[in-house]
Amino acid sequence: MTTLAPTAPLPLAAVEALDRLELRLTAVRYLDAAEHCRALAESADFDGCLAAQDEMAMCRFHLAAAGRLDLIGVAS
């Protein structure tokens, strides 16, 4: 049996950097889903559009909760 040594908590600056990175990745997911949704709509794949819109809604909610809708071009 392997015993893992406890690790120290991350410094506050590292936690804040990870939080900013997570928000930026969420913005990229939103923009990617929006582009995918446009392509699906052009090919008349409306069920696919609904799935992409669900992803967009989830990402938008996360960004709105963090007060960072500016990352997807929405004025807050």
Side-chain angles (χ1 to χ4, degrees), residues 10-45:
L10 289 173
L12 182 58
V15 171
E16 291 170 347
L18 287 173
D19 287 344
R20 287 190 306 272
L21 178 61
E22 180 184 6
L23 290 173
R24 291 191 185 282
L25 288 173
T26 301
V28 168
R29 282 179 35 222
Y30 175 91
L31 296 171
D32 189 46
E35 183 179 324
H36 192 187
C37 185
R38 280 189 293 276
L40 291 168
E42 288 174 7
S43 66
D45 182 355

Side-chain angles (χ1 to χ4, degrees), residues 24-74:
R24 291 191 185 282
L25 288 173
T26 301
V28 168
R29 282 179 35 222
Y30 175 91
L31 296 171
D32 189 46
E35 183 179 324
H36 192 187
C37 185
R38 280 189 293 276
L40 291 168
E42 288 174 7
S43 66
D45 182 355
F46 300 114
D47 289 334
C49 262
L50 292 175
Q53 289 173 346
D54 285 346
E55 176 73 7
M56 291 169 63
M58 182 176 50
C59 292
R60 184 183 172 102
F61 177 82
H62 185 129
L63 293 169
R68 292 305 314 265
L69 288 174
D70 61 298
L71 292 175
I72 57 172
V74 176

